[in-house]
Amino acid sequence: MTKMNKEELLKMFRQMEDIRNFDMKVNQMVRRGLVPGMTHFSVGEEAANVGAISALSPGDLITSNHRGHGQSIAMGIDLNEMMAEIMGRSNGSCKGKGGSMHIADLDAGNLGANGIVGGGMGIAIGAALTQKMKNTGKIVMCCFGDGATNEGTFHETLNMASIWNLPVIFYCINNGYGISTPIKSVMKVKHVHQRAVAYDIPGLFVEDGNDLLAVRKVLDEAVEYVRSGKGPVLVEAVSYRWFGHSTSDPGKYRTKEEVDAWKAKDPIARFRDYLIEQGVAKAEELDAIAEASHEAVEESVKYGMSGPEPSPESAFEDVFAE
């Protein structure tokens, strides 16, 4: 694993705090009727998101999915603009027209989240083909959940990427459920990454996706392999979403014991303990970072509330590239 200094480690801690605080706040705002449309939260999956994205280099690209808040924040999106977007305000990152499932930040390399299950996969290999043809040295990380691995596009794009030797990491955050369907009930193989063998590409596994450094170690390996021109890889990290599939899902198909067991593996608490035990930071320093994150999220709400809703005329803007 790439050796990281204190600044890098604390940046990762702050990003995980931002993801948790942001989504907890959005959840509150949904209940208050301040967020239109559907929302899906990354609470519980912070390490799986930050550990993976942190392995990328400036200029690399990602495609995200409907549960993409964590990936967007890990890619460095402006919290103010992201909150405004989710609130449907014109000062949002996509001018209030995309909402939670369509967050994009092209300047940061985020080609966009997607409301279609597996919808980012074709975009990812197209972007990867571009990098290869132009010899940019950049790679693409395609992020998706376990529910997308039974979509036809998953198999089609892995096949094409392997044939064309494309610089793309297929990254599955396996939280165990496609909405209410347990992944183990719809897949014969035990793990998603084992499907890589069908396309003669490496399949890498993070058994504990709530361990930030374990995620980072495996993704460093994946990034090195792909950037060296050897072709695509499939990576699976096992994690868990604390909430239901979306705000409309109470998650009654899961037992309280199961949810509590995963909450006991809280990725933020575990990384905080690691930083203190290793002498990287004192508890007071980490408390200050957490508080700064809370304040930044509160400010993002104020920013979002300050923006107007998009005008009806704006529906005809940004339809075609210029």
Side-chain angles (χ1 to χ4, degrees), residues 248-277:
S248 65
D249 172 23
K252 292 182 179 180
Y253 44 87
R254 306 184 302 181
T255 66
K256 182 178 184 300
E257 291 75 19
E258 177 181 302
V259 176
D260 288 346
W262 276 98
K263 286 184 176 181
K265 303 175 186 178
D266 184 344
I268 298 178
R270 290 171 65 181
F271 190 54
R272 174 190 169 91
D273 290 344
Y274 169 85
L275 294 174
I276 294 173
E277 291 167 2

Side-chain angles (χ1 to χ4, degrees), residues 224-241:
E224 181 181 3
Y225 181 92
V226 172
R227 203 182 302 279
S228 67
K230 296 178 181 177
V233 299
L234 172 62
V235 182
E236 174 189 5
V238 177
S239 187
Y240 196 81
R241 51 174 165 82

Side-chain angles (χ1 to χ4, degrees), residues 17-218:
E17 284 282 351
D18 283 348
I19 293 168
R20 174 73 57 86
N21 294 326
F22 188 93
D23 269 0
M24 295 296 280
K25 189 64 180 182
V26 172
N27 191 31
Q28 294 176 8
M29 294 168 63
V30 169
R31 311 302 174 187
R32 293 168 55 194
L34 297 175
V35 174
M38 194 71 72
T39 50
H40 306 76
F41 300 123
S42 301
V43 176
E45 300 181 4
E46 293 87 356
N49 283 305
V50 173
I53 299 297
S54 67
L56 298 176
S57 298
D60 289 338
L61 307 167
I62 72 164
T63 59
S64 186
N65 67 341
H66 59 272
R67 197 176 307 285
H69 295 177
Q71 292 142 28
S72 297
I73 291 173
M75 283 292 284
I77 196 170
D78 182 272
L79 292 183
N80 289 343
E81 293 183 2
M82 184 173 169
M83 183 65 80
E85 181 61 33
I86 289 173
M87 296 174 71
R89 305 302 178 99
S90 60
N91 54 342
S93 53
C94 297
K95 302 181 182 179
K97 302 178 189 178
S100 172
M101 287 192 285
H102 301 93
I103 301 295
D105 186 7
L106 300 184
D107 291 338
N110 182 354
L111 300 179
N114 208 300
I116 299 172
V117 177
M121 295 173 177
I123 298 170
I125 65 166
L129 179 61
T130 298
Q131 308 319 308
K132 181 174 182 177
M133 293 177 68
K134 292 188 174 183
N135 197 29
T136 66
K138 299 175 184 178
I139 67 173
V140 181
M141 180 181 291
C142 175
C143 303
F144 51 92
D146 51 280
T149 62
N150 283 328
E151 293 287 338
T153 187
F154 171 79
H155 302 280
E156 292 163 1
T157 54
L158 259 72
N159 189 51
M160 292 175 73
S162 64
I163 292 169
W164 294 343
N165 220 44
L166 298 182
V168 56
I169 297 172
F170 291 93
Y171 181 51
C172 174
I173 298 179
N174 182 354
N175 61 33
Y177 294 89
I179 307 183
S180 60
T181 303
I183 183 65
K184 60 185 179 182
S185 71
V186 291
M187 188 175 70
K188 189 70 171 179
V189 295
K190 188 175 181 180
H191 300 294
V192 169
H193 73 276
Q194 293 172 319
R195 289 178 158 179
V197 69
Y199 308 101
D200 195 26
I201 64 175
L204 306 181
F205 188 43
V206 188
E207 185 175 7
D208 186 359
N210 282 15
D211 181 340
L212 178 71
L213 297 181
V215 176
R216 175 60 184 265
K217 181 179 180 180
V218 172

